[in-house]
Amino acid sequence: MTKKERYEAFVKYFSESYPQPETELQYSNPFELLVAVVLSAQCTDARINKVTPALFRDFPTPEYMASSHFDELFPYIRSVSYPNNKTKHLLALSKKLVEEFNSEIPTTIKELTSLQGVGRKTANVIVSVLYNQPAMAVDTHVFRVSKRLGLVTQTAKTPLEVERQLVKHIPEEYISRAHHWLILHGRYVCLARKPQCEKCEIIHFCKYFEKNKL
Ligand code: SF4
C-alpha cells in the first residue's frame, strides 16, 4: 500500500465513521476551553472534567481569575497533575489576557504561545477547535497512532516532525478532525501498551498490523 493510499483509506474510514468528532473536554466558551486545555497537559480529560465545573463557576472570566491569588485557585485544581505550575500558569495567562488581549482569546499560534502554559500543542488545539483552522495538535496519542498506522515515518522524532508530515498529506478540510480521530483511536483502541488489534476496524490500512502479521 502506498502512503497516498494509506492516507486516503484513513480519511475515508474516519470521515464516514466519525464525521464530526469533538474534544471530550467540557467547556462552554473560549476562555473555558483554553483553561481546560492548559490543565489537560499530562492529565486525562476525565480528570479535568471533574474539576472544571467548580472552577468555571467561581472563576468564570479572565478578570475573575486574574484578580485571584494562588491560595484561592490552587484548591480547585489540586487533583490534576502538576497543580502548582498549572495554578501559576492560569494566573499569569488570565492576567495577560486582561492586560493585552482585552480578555479575548487570541486567534494566532504566535499570540497564543505567548501566554504562560500554552505550548504549540495547546495553541493548535485552540485554533483548530475554536476557529476551525487546519492545525494539527500532536499529543502522545497522535504521535503513537500516526506512526503505527504508517501515516508518519518511524524516523520522526518530535511532535513538530509528526505535525508537519500529517499536515502535508491530509487534505486541509480534514486536518482539525483528523486530530480528534487519532486521539480517540489512541485512547480507546490503539492503546499505548497493548493495541486492541482484535477489535480494531482499520487493520486493512495499518502498517503495524501488516508488518507484524497479526
Ligand atoms: S490494527 Fe492495531 S496497531 Fe493498527 S491501528 Fe488498529 S489497534 Fe492500532
Side-chain angles (χ1 to χ4, degrees):
M1 186 176 235
T2 64
K3 182 164 270 192
K4 186 166 177 286
E5 288 167 342
R6 214 179 288 281
Y7 271 97
E8 283 169 357
F10 168 74
V11 169
K12 183 174 189 313
Y13 170 80
F14 282 103
S15 60
E16 287 174 3
S17 306
Y18 304 94
Q20 296 299 336
E22 289 180 354
T23 175
E24 293 186 322
L25 289 170
Q26 288 161 8
Y27 70 99
S28 59
N29 59 50
F31 176 62
E32 289 185 0
L33 178 66
L34 177 62
V35 169
V37 179
V38 167
L39 289 176
S40 72
Q42 313 282 318
C43 202
T44 65
D45 288 359
R47 163 60 43 201
I48 302 310
N49 289 338
K50 283 205 170 76
V51 306
T52 47
L55 180 69
F56 296 156
R57 180 195 64 217
D58 294 344
F59 303 92
T61 64
E63 287 86 352
Y64 273 95
M65 199 169 272
S67 62
S68 70
H69 300 289
F70 185 95
D71 292 343
E72 292 172 294
L73 194 55
F74 180 83
Y76 289 81
I77 62 170
R78 181 195 304 275
S79 64
V80 310
S81 60
Y82 307 107
N84 277 298
N85 280 342
K86 287 178 181 174
T87 301
K88 288 180 201 158
H89 290 335
L90 290 185
L91 290 170
L93 79 81
S94 51
K95 194 159 180 273
K96 190 161 183 172
L97 286 176
V98 173
E99 289 174 355
E100 297 182 28
F101 295 102
N102 198 25
S103 297
E104 301 286 335
I105 306 305
T107 57
T108 68
I109 300 283
K110 191 171 176 210
E111 289 170 324
L112 282 162
T113 52
S114 75
L115 299 170
Q116 197 160 342
V118 180
R120 186 174 177 87
K121 175 168 72 77
T122 299
N124 275 334
V125 172
I126 300 298
V127 299
S128 146
V129 174
L130 286 184
Y131 309 124
N132 210 19
Q133 291 180 24
M136 172 60 71
V138 177
D139 73 349
T140 179
H141 297 302
V142 175
F143 193 86
R144 177 181 76 257
V145 177
S146 60
K147 282 189 162 194
R148 280 189 184 152
L149 285 174
L151 297 174
V152 164
T153 57
Q154 291 304 319
T155 51
K157 292 282 182 274
T158 64
L160 188 56
E161 281 179 74
V162 168
E163 176 187 329
R164 286 189 174 138
Q165 290 190 32
L166 290 171
V167 166
K168 185 175 167 194
H169 295 286
I170 297 172
E172 196 171 301
E173 65 189 290
Y174 293 109
I175 289 175
S176 60
R177 276 177 277 175
H179 157 74
H180 295 299
W181 292 336
L182 290 164
I183 286 184
L184 294 174
H185 198 67
R187 195 173 280 166
Y188 297 112
V189 184
C190 194
L191 311 183
R193 284 212 277 188
K194 192 175 184 317
Q196 313 279 296
C197 304
E198 65 285 353
K199 66 172 190 184
C200 182
E201 295 181 356
I202 57 174
I203 55 175
H204 57 292
F205 64 87
C206 175
K207 200 167 191 175
Y208 178 95
F209 189 86
E210 180 185 293
K211 221 171 137 187
N212 292 285
K213 298 198 173 30
L214 297 165

